[in-house]
């Protein structure tokens, strides 16, 4: 398996260093023959090449099997390429899979839960994903701005199918989250297509919830939910909430997957205020790497990659339970030491 590694900005180089050590460790332990090709995007690319993402980088990623991407500080270069969007769109990574679960050893304010948000990744309210060229935000006058949203049957169908396929491997329940009460046409289409796909999975229990109500319900009873499927912006917000409910957004792994490519990417941002302080939680990036290995193993029917992914998840769980983690999740270690302890655990 060949993976291109782009550390990103802020805390990205610190957390990605841990993820790289973990990938190398499981590659040796499980005989995965993982090859890592390091490159740059974001600040480092801007300094070296004068652009946050140079054109040939997408071709390099397409020639590999997958991508590991660190967080990006997109706001600091508003007229430059957003690396995350660039690869999601360029590789057609339509499914953003974001698990959230509780861990032993951490304070549990909302009860134990284990759920996954399946977020459509290529259209919706994101203005940079709706047009062939340019964005879908328009400044009509200096006092009037308009943003257009695209929802297509094709994209709804494939994200719905991703959710139902995942539910079949879990507790066989899918919750459709939407705002069809107000967005009657766009979200109405989304719900309609999800319900159509649901007919192909008679063993899966299906319900649907209005997004604002869902924000309250998932806080009140997160253990009630299994797989949640929703549109792009709703999924972005909801998955950050569910990650935080688990104890920290630093535990939020994230996989961006398409038919032929995938990208592991931590759910959190670049956190420049704590960059270089050795306190950033690396587990989100590490769990994203585990998801990437699981995707590859499932795609190619290779159980060794599935075993490696499972071993990483189990090692993270054990590390949190014993305090071999950063302070934000109740641990006692810095970023680098957390990585070293995790590697040692994986080698045992």
């Amino acid at each position: 398996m060949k993976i291109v590694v782009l550390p990103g900005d802020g805390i990205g180089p610190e957390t990605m260093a841990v993820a790289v050590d973990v990938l190398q460790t499981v590659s040796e332990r499980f005989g995965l023959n993982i090859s890592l090709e390091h490159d740059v995007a974001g600040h480092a690319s801007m300094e070296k090449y004068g652009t946050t993402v140079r054109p040939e980088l997408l071709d390099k990623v397409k020639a590999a099997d997958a991508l590991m991407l660190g967080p990006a500080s997109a706001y600091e270069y508003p007229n430059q390429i957003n690396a995350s969007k660039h690869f999601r769109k360029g590789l057609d990574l339509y499914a953003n899979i974001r698990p959230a679960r509780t861990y032993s050893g951490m304070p549990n304010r909302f009860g134990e839960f284990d759920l996954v948000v399946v977020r459509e990744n290529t259209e919706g309210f994101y203005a940079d994903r709706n047009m062939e060229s340019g964005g879908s935000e328009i400044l009509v006058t200096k006092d009037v701005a308009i943003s257009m949203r695209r929802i297509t049957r094709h994209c709804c169908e494939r994200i719905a199918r991703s959710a139902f396929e995942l539910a079949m491997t879990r507790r066989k329940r899918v919750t459709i989250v939407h705002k069809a009460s107000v967005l009657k046409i766009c979200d109405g289409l989304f719900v309609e297509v999800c319900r159509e796909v649901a007919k192909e999975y008679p063993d899966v229990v299906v319900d649907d919830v209005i997004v604002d109500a869902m924000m309250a319900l998932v806080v009140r009873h997160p253990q009630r939910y299994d797989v949640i499927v929703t549109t792009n912006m709703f999924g972005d917000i909801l998955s950050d909430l569910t990650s935080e409910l688990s104890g920290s957004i630093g535990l939020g792994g994230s996989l961006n997957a398409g038919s032929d490519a995938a990208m592991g990417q931590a759910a959190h941002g670049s956190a420049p205020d704590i960059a270089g302080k050795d306190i950033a939680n690396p587990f989100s990036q590490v769990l994203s790497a585990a998801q990437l290995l699981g995707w590859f193993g499932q795609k190619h029917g290779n159980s060794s990659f599935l075993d490696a992914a499972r071993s990483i998840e189990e090692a993270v769980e054990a590390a949190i339970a014993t305090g071999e983690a950063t302070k934000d999740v109740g641990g006692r270690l810095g970023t680098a030491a957390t990585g070293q302890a995790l590697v040692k655990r994986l080698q045992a």
Side-chain angles (χ1 to χ4, degrees):
M1 181 184 188
K2 183 178 180 181
I3 304 173
V4 174
V5 177
L6 306 176
D9 303 321
I11 61 173
E14 298 170 76
T15 60
M16 187 65 80
V18 175
V20 164
D21 287 345
V22 166
L23 285 169
Q24 291 173 332
T25 300
V26 296
S27 180
E28 182 175 345
R29 176 181 167 185
F30 291 94
L32 306 182
N33 193 27
I34 293 175
S35 171
L36 302 177
E37 185 172 356
H38 297 267
D39 213 309
V40 291
H43 286 188
S45 179
M46 193 72 184
E47 292 175 6
K48 189 172 183 179
Y49 301 108
T51 179
T52 51
V53 181
R54 63 194 196 280
E56 61 268 27
L57 194 52
L58 180 60
D59 291 332
K60 177 181 283 192
V61 173
K62 285 181 176 179
D65 294 300
L67 169 65
M68 280 293 294
L69 179 66
S73 299
Y75 281 120
E76 296 178 25
Y77 295 104
N79 297 319
Q80 281 288 327
I81 297 169
N82 180 318
S84 179
K85 183 272 295 187
H86 182 73
F87 291 112
R88 290 178 184 186
K89 189 171 182 178
L91 299 170
D92 196 23
L93 306 179
Y94 60 84
N96 186 199
I97 312 298
R98 292 189 172 184
R101 52 158 295 191
T102 49
Y103 288 86
S104 175
M106 290 185 60
N108 188 340
R109 293 174 291 170
F110 304 98
E112 294 182 0
F113 69 89
D114 179 353
L115 59 82
V116 184
V117 176
V118 178
R119 165 197 175 198
E120 203 290 318
N121 218 14
T122 58
E123 56 181 17
F125 277 121
Y126 284 79
D128 57 7
R129 280 157 232 194
N130 290 333
M131 299 292 183
E132 180 66 24
S133 66
S136 58
E137 286 189 309
I138 302 169
L139 189 63
V140 181
T141 74
K142 66 177 182 178
D143 299 316
V144 178
I146 294 174
S147 181
M148 291 179 285
R149 179 193 193 204
R150 184 188 71 187
I151 297 290
T152 63
R153 184 174 295 276
H154 170 66
C155 289
C156 292
E157 182 177 349
R158 62 185 185 176
I159 196 63
R161 185 159 283 107
S162 295
F164 280 93
E165 289 289 338
L166 179 59
M168 289 295 293
T169 69
R170 292 173 51 88
R171 302 194 305 276
K172 298 182 180 178
R173 176 161 190 158
V174 170
T175 300
I176 306 163
V177 174
H178 60 92
K179 190 66 174 178
S181 55
V182 175
L183 302 168
K184 296 182 183 294
I185 297 176
C186 287
D187 273 25
L189 177 61
F190 178 74
V191 175
E192 174 192 330
V193 174
C194 286
R195 288 288 184 180
E196 288 174 357
V197 172
K199 295 175 183 177
E200 303 174 23
Y201 301 86
D203 294 333
V204 177
V205 176
V206 185
D207 63 347
D208 68 87
V209 182
I210 300 295
V211 64
D212 46 332
M214 186 66 179
M215 295 296 174
L217 292 171
V218 79
V219 172
R220 189 181 304 163
H221 296 298
Q223 60 277 353
R224 182 182 295 174
Y225 301 100
D226 180 20
V227 175
I228 299 167
V229 63
T230 189
T231 53
N232 201 338
M233 185 171 287
F234 294 163
D236 196 4
I237 297 167
L238 184 57
S239 59
D240 279 2
L241 172 63
T242 54
S243 291
E244 193 63 32
L245 292 178
S246 74
S248 171
I249 198 171
L251 298 173
S254 177
L255 177 74
N256 300 273
S259 300
D260 302 308
M263 173 174 74
Q265 179 186 21
H268 56 70
S270 61
D273 57 317
I274 63 170
K277 296 182 179 180
D278 193 42
I279 60 175
N281 186 345
F283 286 159
S284 180
Q285 197 75 66
V286 168
L287 290 169
S288 300
Q291 286 183 258
L292 193 65
L293 296 184
W295 168 84
F296 186 84
Q298 188 172 26
K299 178 178 173 59
H300 295 280
N302 190 321
S303 61
S304 294
F305 281 86
L306 299 174
D307 291 341
R310 195 175 304 111
S311 74
I312 294 171
E313 293 168 353
E314 291 172 352
V316 168
E317 182 176 11
I320 293 171
T322 58
E324 292 181 345
T326 47
K327 292 181 180 179
D328 63 301
V329 290
R332 59 184 182 274
L333 304 177
T335 307
T338 295
Q340 292 163 5
L342 190 63
V343 164
K344 186 176 180 180
R345 189 177 292 277
L346 285 164
Q347 291 172 332

